[in-house]
Amino acid sequence: MEYVCDAPGGTTWFLIETEAEAIRESALMGHAVEKHFRQAKARASAAYVPAPGPFFEQEIGLKAHLRRTMPRFFTLRDPEGEGLATAMVPWQEDSCPIVVGPGNRDPYIEQAAAIRALAAHLGRDLDRTRCYPYGR
């Protein structure tokens, strides 16, 4: 995982970078981020068009392509490493981000300030009415 930003209460946001990290996040948080990570990676991989050249060089740009096109997956952790919230934030402004807590519970009840910190860092709106799918 890659450090993203600090948040209030000694919490920290990290970027989930690999499928193994997504699997761990699903197990820790009791939700389906692993499934969404795999689906997003599969869609982005299918859309990848390698540069012309030798076959063994065709996947050189795949990692950069995935990083540019896949939604970003974030995890909020407390100082002991416990999971507090997970966010999926697409690059496109018109696509709806999703933020959930453990077991898909509402993270905004206890983590609103931390979610605002991530929103400010990303320059995105992560308002509860838009991002918490079970509160609509």
Side-chain angles (χ1 to χ4, degrees), residues 32-45 70 73:
V33 71
E34 168 192 354
K35 175 184 86 169
H36 297 288
F37 187 93
R38 284 183 178 165
Q39 288 173 345
K41 185 175 181 180
R43 282 190 303 272
S45 295
M70 272 181 67
F73 292 82

Side-chain angles (χ1 to χ4, degrees), residues 6-76:
D6 291 323
T11 59
T12 306
W13 284 101
F14 294 94
L15 179 68
I16 298 171
E17 299 179 287
T18 67
E19 196 170 310
E21 292 168 351
I23 291 168
R24 170 85 172 108
E25 183 76 359
S26 284
L28 176 69
M29 298 290 285
H31 57 49
V33 71
E34 168 192 354
K35 175 184 86 169
H36 297 288
F37 187 93
R38 284 183 178 165
Q39 288 173 345
K41 185 175 181 180
R43 282 190 303 272
S45 295
Y48 176 63
V49 178
F55 176 75
F56 62 89
E57 292 181 358
Q58 290 188 348
E59 290 204 13
I60 289 175
L62 178 60
K63 186 174 180 179
H65 170 79
L66 294 175
R67 197 161 173 106
R68 282 191 312 272
T69 58
M70 272 181 67
R72 293 160 292 172
F73 292 82
F74 300 96
T75 181
L76 177 66

Side-chain angles (χ1 to χ4, degrees), residues 115-130:
I115 295 166
R116 283 193 300 273
L118 178 63
H121 180 81
L122 298 175
R124 292 286 303 266
D125 175 21
L126 296 179
D127 181 70
R128 181 188 182 277
T129 58
R130 185 169 181 238

